[in-house]
Amino acid sequence: MQKIVVGVDGSKQSREALHWAVEEAGARGAAVVALHAYVVEPPAPDASPAPPFDLPALVTELHEGAVTFVMEVVEQVVGDTPVDVAPMAVEADPVKALLDASRDADLLVVGSHGVGVSSLLLGSVSLECAQHASCPVVIYRGSA
């Protein structure tokens, strides 16, 4: 069975990309992996000391929140569909996570935030994926 990986960050563009990917998967008889990547940043060195906390519990809580988030986005965007859509959350840089998840995929889909030329100079997720993915990449820019 074919596999389509789509990046999900909650933005309007990623929701539209997910919708498009599900329609494409239906036409191809493919499964979809809806991937949400998140990064846990340590506090700044000059930040006020935080009260003691349980780091493993915090990491687990953050991951569970990310899983819940991507599941809710998939439910809102996809609804009832015969297409197999697997929500997935990983703690990783979004580009690395998408490239890793799409190594054995037939297609990688990302939404375009369309910020402009400056985003290309800085290197956007969609640009990095287009340059380095091992499968075809669709940068979904909307239906207009």
Side-chain angles (χ1 to χ4, degrees):
M1 174 176 269
Q2 290 190 6
K3 175 174 136 181
I4 298 174
V5 174
V6 59
V8 175
D9 66 6
S11 67
K12 177 184 177 210
Q13 295 85 353
S14 77
R15 289 170 184 265
E16 290 175 352
L18 175 59
H19 185 266
W20 184 89
V22 169
E23 287 184 350
E24 183 69 13
R28 292 178 178 220
V32 173
V33 174
L35 178 68
H36 175 66
Y38 63 97
V39 177
V40 178
E41 301 268 342
D46 60 342
S48 304
F53 58 89
D54 181 358
L55 184 58
L58 179 61
V59 169
T60 299
E61 185 178 330
L62 289 170
H63 182 72
E64 288 172 356
V67 169
T68 300
F69 167 77
V70 72
M71 288 174 65
E72 288 173 355
V73 170
V74 166
E75 185 177 316
Q76 292 166 2
V77 172
V78 175
D80 294 328
T81 179
V83 174
D84 179 22
V85 181
M88 187 167 114
V90 295
E91 181 186 353
D93 170 78
V95 172
K96 180 179 179 344
L98 289 165
L99 293 176
D100 287 349
S102 66
R103 287 200 199 293
D104 63 345
D106 298 285
L107 186 65
L108 173 60
V109 180
V110 292
S112 171
H113 287 273
V115 177
V117 176
S118 63
S119 68
L120 296 178
L121 295 174
L122 298 174
S124 66
V125 170
S126 56
L127 179 63
E128 290 293 317
C129 288
Q131 289 178 329
H132 301 290
S134 57
C135 66
V137 177
V138 169
I139 302 172
Y140 187 79
R141 297 185 55 89
S143 58

